[in-house]
Structures are given as structure tokens and as C-alpha cells.
Amino acid sequence: EPEVTQTPSHQVTQMGQEVILRCVPISNHLYFYWYRQILGQKVEFLVSFYNNEISEKSEIFDDQFSVERPDGSNFTLKIRSTKLEDSAMYFCASSGQGFHEQYFGPGTRLTVT
Amino acid sequence: AQSVTQLGSHVSVSEGALVLLRCNYSSSVPPYLFWYVQYPNQGLQLLLKYTTGATLVKGINGFEAEFKKSETSFHLTKPSAHMSDAAEYFCAVSPSNTGNQFYFGTGTSLTVIP
């Protein structure tokens, strides 16, 4: 069964460093998303991406964040200068033509020290 | 604005007992509704969804949920709990007129007691 994959599973970085979280969505999907979950809190939407551009983003997704689909398979989330409060689980998701059903990856746990 | 409330961050049931996980939402338009399950160290797996049509929807692993518009609820049930049902359960809402982003509840951790 096709699935969304994410690497790495756990990333530890120092405050101020740049991190790139990687995702491989399901191959025939067209819509891509990033969500995050701070420990003990709800899953929050960050951004959606379609046709090589951002289609929607939340207030969380400020200038420190960017997304890219550098090739036909990967979808990345970059945080330019990490803060302690960026520590969270980051989930990638993708959906097909009927975008109501989103398929999630296993997440990347980001720890900023 | 959309929001999702899951009553009970932790629910414990005995094996074989009824599972009831509650979800209420607020939405200015009829939403699409979802339940996801997360097993330890895994991603979010879709259990079931309601978009249109029959308000009682059946999902995987014997779970079902009923959309009650008058109560703005989408509670998840399973007649008989199994040990393998122990996981974190998330209710999510997507506005039907815009689609795209999901709004999640805070999750309910289900423990099944042997």
C-alpha cells in the first residue's frame, strides 16, 4: 500500500541553525501539506502546496519557514533559524484529486536545544 | 472559524467493552469530518470519514461514527474493544467550502484493560 515517508525520524539541532525536513508523498498525489504537533498540544496546520506553489498557510508559517518540491518526489520543509519553540513533531501529508482525504507520514520529531 | 473539541484526553475501557470517543466541532459551514488513529511511533492513519450522504459511517477495524448535525458531533464508537485498539485518536474537520487544511482536536488516548 502506498504511504507517505518522512526523514529523518528524529532531528536534534541547536537554536539558530537551519533544518530541512524531508517528505516523500504518495506518488500520484497532487496536494501536499505540513502540520506540526507540539508535545501535549493539538496537531496544527502549517501550509498546503499545490501546483508548485503555496495554496494556503497558517499564522505559524512565517518567514522562517519555507517549502519546496525540488524534484518530482520530495517535498521539504525548511526552518531557517530554529527557535526553542519550534521543537515539535512535524507531519507531512498528501492527498489526491479529491483532496478531502489526507494521508499522513510517520512524522519527524524536531528537538531544538 | 473551525474548531474541534475532544472530550476526555484519556479513556480507559476493558477488553470487550464499548468504546466511545467524543468529538464536537464548530463550523460556519457543513464540514467534512474525519477520525485518525496514531499508534506509537507511527503516522496518522485514517479510520473513517464523513463527507456527504449517510450520516453513519463505517471505518476500518470495526469502528464507526455518526454525524449529528443538530448536536455538531461526530463521536467514534466500537462495540467491543480489542487490545490492539490502544492508541491515540484524533478527530479532524475540514471546511467543505474550502477544503484544504484540517483542524484537529487535541486527541484522546485510548487504553484497553485486559
Side-chain angles (χ1 to χ4, degrees), chain B residues 16-67:
Chain B
L18 171 72
V19 176
L20 170 60
L21 305 183
R22 298 177 187 275
C23 174
N24 288 87
Y25 67 90
S26 68
S27 177
S28 54
V29 297
Y32 297 124
L33 297 155
F34 305 83
W35 275 98
Y36 282 85
V37 61
Q38 185 180 31
Y39 299 102
N41 300 315
Q42 294 188 29
L44 299 169
Q45 180 183 6
L46 180 68
L47 268 181
L48 48 76
K49 66 178 179 181
Y50 169 80
T51 54
T52 59
T55 55
L56 180 65
V57 292
K58 296 185 186 299
I60 62 172
N61 302 339
F63 284 93
E64 60 183 37
E66 186 171 12
F67 169 54

Side-chain angles (χ1 to χ4, degrees), chain A residues 6 10 14-15 33 37 48 64 66 87 93 107:
Chain A
Q6 292 185 242
H10 191 190
Q14 290 189 326
M15 196 167 51
Y33 313 84
Q37 184 182 29
S48 60
Q64 291 299 310
S66 63
S87 295

Side-chain angles (χ1 to χ4, degrees), chain A residues 31 33 35 37 40-45 48-49 55-58 89 91 99-107, chain B residues 3-4 32 34 36 38 41-46 49 51 90 94-96 98-106:
Chain A
Y31 301 84
Y33 313 84
Y35 292 81
Q37 184 182 29
Q41 298 184 25
K42 64 176 64 178
V43 177
E44 301 172 291
F45 170 78
S48 60
F49 192 85
S55 53
E56 194 172 355
K57 61 182 181 179
S58 71
M89 180 73 89
F91 292 105
F99 53 75
H100 305 300
E101 189 167 319
Q102 295 183 17
Y103 293 82
F104 284 78
Chain B
S3 69
V4 179
Y32 297 124
F34 305 83
Y36 282 85
Q38 185 180 31
N41 300 315
Q42 294 188 29
L44 299 169
Q45 180 183 6
L46 180 68
K49 66 178 179 181
T51 54
F90 294 93
S94 174
S96 60
T98 61
N100 234 333
Q101 69 168 287
F102 280 15
Y103 297 85
F104 282 86
T106 50

Side-chain angles (χ1 to χ4, degrees), chain A residues 14 16 18 20 22 35 46 49 54 63 86 88 91 98 102 111:
Chain A
Q14 290 189 326
E18 174 184 286
I20 298 176
R22 301 179 193 281
Y35 292 81
L46 292 178
F49 192 85
I54 291 173
D63 292 344
D86 293 327
F91 292 105
Q102 295 183 17
T111 302

